[in-house]
Amino acid sequence: MTEMIATRNAYGETLAELGEKNEKIVVLDADLSGSTRTAFFAKKFPERFFDCGIAEANMMGIAAGLATTGLIPFASTFAVFATGRTYDQIRCSIAYPKLNVKICASHSGITVGEDGATHQALEDIALMRVLPNMTVIVPSDANQTRKAVRAIAEYDGPCYLRLGRPKVPVLEEQPFRIGKANVLREGTDCTVIACGHMVSKALEAADQSEYSIRVVNMHTIKPIDKDVIIESARMGPIVTVEEHSVIGGLGSAVAEVVSQHSPTRMKIMGVNDTFGRSGKPDELLSYYHLTTDDIIQSIKEVMR
Amino acid sequence: MDAKGLEEKAKVIRKHILESTCAAGSGHPGGSLSATEIVTVLYFHEMRHDPKNPKWEERDRFVLSKGHAAPLLYAALAESGYFPVETLKTLRKINSNLQGHPDMKSVPGVEASTGSLGQGLSIAVGMALGLKLQGKDSRVFCLIGDGESQEGQIWEAAMAASHYKLDNLTVFLDRNGLQIDGFTEKVMALEPLAEKWRSFGWDVQKINGNSITEVMNALKHKSDKPKIIIALTTKGKGVSFMENVPEWHGKAPDQKQLMEALEELK
């Protein structure tokens, strides 16, 4: 049985660990510390934890100010509030001056579940990716989240780390380097490029598909690993899978590279330009056609 | 610098504001002229800073939340010695570091990138919090506009500053009464401002913000709360045809108007 851990959990635990080694790390939240798991850090280091209340815009500004004094702020809330609600604050106060702020957002995508559309961020990758100076990371599982949190703490500059609510499969240990995609399976017919927990579904699809599938974990959406995309495009068609709108996210980022460097047939899988809805995470993944079977079907389509 | 020296310095700063916006052919003279005394007193009397070492860790910080008053900030920085005064003539020009609104990455001495209103005070709160946490006795000063105070984020920051007991933070509110569309009280009424800030847990003073001595005296006042100085000012102060005229919020003087204005400043 595959072990299941939520990426937000791995985030909270790693942050609390890092707090011991690095006194520069400070953590901010907007009244969701239990859910984002920054509560683990808050419990260990109350003097370095700032609950900003339900005022996300102000939280981003405070994070920017803290960064100017040499501290390393990690600001967390749900992905909808961490990006859409505070877009201009991130744009002007963090990304433009390239301040060392880590925006770590939990509850991304439809797998937020029952809370429904208002709480399901399906645009956050697009919003963060379009900002100059911003690094955008969507780790595939708990192990990769741990490594990503350590990596962004070391990296000097604004980062967006996209985390999720539900428990998702823990994959085999993979190396992690910002901007360097992981090729998890080699194949010869077609490539599936995925991010977040869609990577585990891409692996299942590859195992079950009648074709020989290369599987790429594109954990860093920006800066994107062009070499791996071009290599894949030269081999054959590409399917991208993300728990995000089909507009502006991983699929778009891959298409930008493919169209300019090595055009090939593509299928972008994600939420098809619509809002989310209430339901259980697995029901929602079926509803929006983001299951392993859907990936197998998409592979067939591009191979046709 | 004493009050007399500061009066003279304020005149020089005003001259730079008018000349640089004239050279740029655009910019915001009105709200730069209204806050000239405040910024002059801060840079040439009150703040601990070192133009030779802009990143000096022990320095006091100034955040221009009303970023459109960039001509004022640039003039104060140039006069302090952060960069040559001649650079002011490149304001808003292609290849210049002096962007239309302050960019902390390109101009030494600029502490925050501002221009999208309502954000600078939150940054100042973060700075004050970070400095306190690291045991530094540096102070943070922030200049906000009155029109800017219509942004909800200002009040989020106000709440946070008193919650975190930031006695190292002093805000100047440039109460010139005007915003782009007209009088603040007509566009979106702000009063009673003093009561609002007091109820948010701040130490509130109200002064004539175009008086060097009143600005100096207000800064002497001590409190264990975050401090706000509501500075009653005149938009376009010092140039008769600009004073209290809304259109000078974001319009540069032409050459003829510049000559007239400089004549008045003498």
Side-chain angles (χ1 to χ4, degrees):
Chain A
M1 190 67 191
T2 319
E3 194 187 1
M4 305 282 281
I5 303 176
T7 51
R8 61 177 165 143
N9 251 53
Y11 164 63
E13 285 166 11
T14 312
L15 200 54
E17 270 167 43
L18 278 181
E20 268 169 42
K21 291 178 211 137
N22 192 341
E23 287 193 347
K24 297 269 181 208
I25 291 179
V26 291
V27 177
L28 302 93
D29 208 300
D31 198 39
L32 289 169
S33 62
S35 299
T36 63
R37 306 298 197 235
T38 59
F40 302 158
F41 183 96
K43 198 165 172 223
K44 268 171 94 173
F45 308 102
E47 71 292 347
R48 281 192 274 151
F49 175 76
F50 304 103
D51 200 323
C52 297
I54 309 165
E56 295 82 5
N58 185 46
M59 174 172 78
M60 292 305 174
I62 292 180
L66 287 164
T68 67
T69 70
L71 295 168
I72 308 171
F74 280 67
S76 288
T77 178
F78 289 0
V80 267
F81 314 130
T83 59
R85 192 176 184 104
T86 56
Y87 185 68
D88 190 45
Q89 284 74 21
I90 295 172
R91 180 176 183 272
C92 296
S93 295
I94 295 172
Y96 180 41
K98 209 178 176 191
L99 289 174
N100 195 21
V101 175
K102 317 301 169 187
I103 301 158
C104 300
S106 75
H107 292 59
S108 63
I110 45 174
T111 53
V112 166
E114 292 82 347
D115 277 351
T118 55
H119 284 56
Q120 294 163 338
L122 298 174
E123 315 81 14
D124 55 320
I125 297 176
L127 287 170
M128 293 298 105
R129 187 171 83 83
V130 77
L131 290 174
N133 297 331
M134 186 62 80
T135 292
V136 180
I137 296 171
V138 187
S140 59
D141 65 331
N143 285 338
Q144 186 153 67
T145 301
R146 290 191 186 97
K147 290 180 183 173
V149 174
R150 289 185 200 113
I152 63 173
E154 295 281 317
Y155 169 82
D156 185 17
C159 294
Y160 178 66
L161 183 69
R162 187 186 210 234
L163 306 162
R165 175 179 184 239
K167 290 182 177 177
V168 292
V170 179
L171 308 176
E172 278 177 34
E173 286 280 352
Q174 312 165 50
F176 180 83
R177 232 179 72 207
I178 295 173
K180 182 92 188 91
N182 296 340
V183 179
L184 300 183
R185 288 268 200 295
E186 276 301 354
T188 51
D189 293 328
C190 163
T191 305
V192 178
I193 302 179
C195 64
H197 68 106
M198 288 296 128
V199 172
S200 72
K201 299 204 186 294
L203 288 169
E204 283 172 13
D207 289 343
Q208 295 170 30
S209 172
E210 61 201 282
Y211 297 100
S212 166
I213 306 296
R214 184 183 214 214
V215 178
V216 175
N217 172 9
M218 193 63 77
H219 50 71
T220 307
I221 314 289
K222 187 182 183 183
I224 201 152
D225 190 336
K226 284 186 185 164
D227 294 344
V228 166
I229 296 171
I230 294 168
E231 241 171 56
S232 304
R234 285 190 180 139
M235 182 190 82
I238 292 175
V239 173
T240 64
V241 203
E242 64 200 296
E243 199 193 337
H244 181 272
S245 170
V246 291
I247 299 171
L250 169 69
S252 298
V254 171
E256 284 158 17
V257 177
V258 166
S259 62
Q260 293 175 86
H261 297 275
S262 183
T264 186
R265 195 205 296 246
M266 269 188 77
K267 164 95 182 168
I268 296 175
M269 296 180 69
V271 176
N272 207 0
D273 194 20
T274 180
F275 286 102
R277 58 188 295 123
S278 293
K280 291 198 191 329
D282 280 338
E283 292 169 346
L284 288 161
L285 289 170
S286 298
Y287 187 93
Y288 289 103
H289 305 293
L290 287 170
T291 65
T292 302
D293 284 345
D294 293 312
I295 299 173
I296 294 170
Q297 208 49 46
S298 294
I299 292 168
K300 274 187 191 155
E301 270 177 48
V302 292
M303 289 303 296
R304 210 174 281 150
Chain B
M1 203 178 275
D2 65 5
K4 203 165 164 359
L6 291 166
E7 297 281 3
E8 286 309 306
K9 190 57 92 178
K11 273 190 194 170
V12 175
I13 301 271
R14 284 205 161 88
K15 181 171 159 277
H16 288 318
I17 292 167
L18 294 161
E19 286 177 342
S20 63
T21 51
C22 176
S26 69
H28 298 83
S32 295
L33 294 169
S34 63
T36 297
E37 279 77 12
I38 296 165
V39 171
T40 303
V41 172
L42 285 175
Y43 275 88
F44 301 96
H45 176 73
E46 185 69 21
M47 288 202 307
R48 187 168 65 182
H49 65 124
D50 180 4
K52 301 273 167 298
N53 185 10
K55 296 279 167 201
W56 179 38
E57 284 202 12
E58 309 303 319
R59 73 192 185 280
D60 293 333
R61 270 86 164 163
F62 173 68
V63 175
L64 180 69
S65 193
K66 46 172 280 184
H68 53 279
L72 164 61
L73 175 60
Y74 295 154
L77 290 173
E79 278 294 320
S80 298
Y82 284 90
F83 54 84
V85 167
E86 298 78 65
T87 311
L88 293 173
K89 294 219 167 68
T90 68
L91 174 69
R92 291 178 163 242
K93 295 218 158 65
I94 194 85
N95 298 328
S96 173
N97 290 340
L98 303 184
Q99 296 296 297
H101 293 82
D103 170 15
M104 66 180 284
K105 277 287 181 233
S106 66
V107 186
V110 171
E111 299 283 4
S113 297
T114 52
S116 180
L117 292 176
Q119 301 190 20
L121 184 53
S122 299
I123 299 172
V125 167
M127 284 177 181
L129 198 57
L131 292 167
K132 254 182 177 299
L133 190 66
Q134 295 172 90
K136 302 221 180 284
D137 62 359
S138 302
R139 298 166 301 166
V140 181
F141 298 92
C142 179
L143 177 62
I144 63 173
D146 50 1
E148 178 181 22
S149 306
Q150 289 157 357
E151 291 280 4
Q153 192 180 345
I154 289 289
W155 302 99
E156 293 183 7
M159 219 186 306
S162 66
H163 179 80
Y164 295 129
K165 303 185 171 55
L166 299 178
D167 56 0
N168 56 345
L169 174 65
T170 301
V171 171
F172 279 93
L173 169 55
D174 182 8
R175 183 69 172 120
N176 58 39
L178 287 179
Q179 58 190 111
I180 297 178
D181 278 353
F183 293 93
T184 58
E185 297 314 285
K186 241 185 152 171
V187 175
M188 183 52 65
L190 294 161
E191 294 296 343
L193 274 168
E195 283 86 337
K196 283 189 174 106
W197 284 92
R198 211 167 280 128
S199 73
F200 272 74
W202 287 60
D203 177 86
V204 181
Q205 297 180 79
K206 210 166 179 177
I207 63 162
N208 171 1
N210 290 130
S211 155
I212 290 280
T213 48
E214 287 200 29
V215 174
M216 290 168 82
N217 286 336
L219 285 164
K220 285 183 195 142
H221 176 72
K222 301 263 179 281
S223 172
D224 54 2
K225 295 175 178 174
K227 296 174 278 296
I228 183 160
I229 300 163
I230 299 176
L232 303 175
T233 61
T234 301
K235 200 154 181 173
K237 178 75 181 175
V239 181
S240 60
F241 60 88
M242 288 187 176
E243 284 188 5
N244 269 322
V245 180
E247 68 169 308
W248 287 104
H249 169 88
K251 192 179 91 165
D254 61 23
Q255 200 60 39
K256 187 167 162 281
Q257 290 162 330
L258 174 67
M259 288 308 142
E260 272 177 57
L262 293 180
E263 197 54 43
E264 285 190 27
L265 287 182
K266 277 182 187 163

